[in-house]
Amino acid sequence: MSYRVCLVCMGNICRSPMAEAVLRKALADRGLADRVVVESAGTGGWHEGDPMDERALRILSDHGYDGSTHRARQFTKDWFDRYDLVLAMDLDNLANLRRIAPPGVEVRLFRSFDLAAPANAEVPDPYYGGREGFEEVLALVESAAEGVAKHVADEID
């Protein structure tokens, strides 16, 4: 049996797929790659089937991560029963997910697992900016991914 995590942003072409690649590596580094499934999705469906944003893919590649097989998907309410942990990249997507979540299902912010982050810290959307925004996103998700990986390890052990 696998533990399943879904990371969610708006369109599933920048933040959540970057976080997916980073979290997979963090879990693999802990020896958990075969016990945890990490996926991502967006609350909106306008990019469904599209690859990751080229800028996001380039930043990941430049830092040793692989996002080449990613295709955008939309998270729908019937997906909640597929996952043990659903994490939103920002407050808007957190609210969107909570609005469709069944009663009793907890959805959290991705950065809530980064002990150095302030309360309600978000991963900002880099889509309308340049390379520096994507670099910032990578740094933020790398920091939070360690906390998520520790949480998952504690959950499955």
Side-chain angles (χ1 to χ4, degrees):
M1 186 166 134
S2 295
Y3 189 90
R4 298 177 62 85
V5 179
C6 191
L7 311 170
V8 184
C9 68
M10 189 71 67
N12 193 220
I13 59 168
C14 297
R15 295 172 288 176
S16 59
M18 290 178 75
E20 178 184 347
V22 171
L23 182 56
R24 279 189 180 146
K25 182 176 183 320
L27 290 163
D29 289 349
R30 289 177 174 264
L32 300 173
D34 60 336
R35 297 179 61 195
V36 183
V37 174
V38 180
E39 298 177 327
S40 65
T43 55
W46 51 91
H47 291 293
E48 268 188 286
D50 291 348
M52 189 182 309
D53 181 284
E54 290 179 11
R55 298 163 297 173
L57 186 58
R58 190 172 314 114
I59 294 298
L60 284 176
S61 180
D62 289 352
H63 292 273
Y65 300 100
D66 181 19
S68 62
T69 62
H70 175 78
R71 293 296 176 264
R73 304 176 315 151
Q74 183 177 9
F75 192 100
T76 59
K77 72 191 266 180
D78 61 317
W79 286 25
F80 282 103
D81 63 353
R82 297 182 192 180
Y83 298 102
D84 299 291
L85 184 61
V86 176
L87 301 175
M89 294 292 116
D90 62 37
L91 291 168
D92 287 340
N93 287 297
L94 180 67
N96 289 336
L97 289 166
R98 285 181 173 165
R99 195 172 8 267
I100 65 170
V105 171
E106 181 185 18
V107 181
R108 292 179 58 179
L109 283 170
F110 184 74
R111 289 193 65 206
S112 68
F113 291 92
D114 182 348
L115 299 179
N120 293 321
E122 301 176 291
V123 177
D125 189 349
Y127 186 78
Y128 293 104
R131 182 178 176 94
E132 64 282 346
F134 289 88
E135 290 280 2
E136 177 188 13
V137 166
L138 180 60
L140 294 173
V141 299
E142 283 179 330
S143 185
E146 289 304 317
V148 176
K150 181 184 180 320
H151 172 79
V152 170
D154 291 345
E155 287 287 304
I156 62 178
D157 284 339

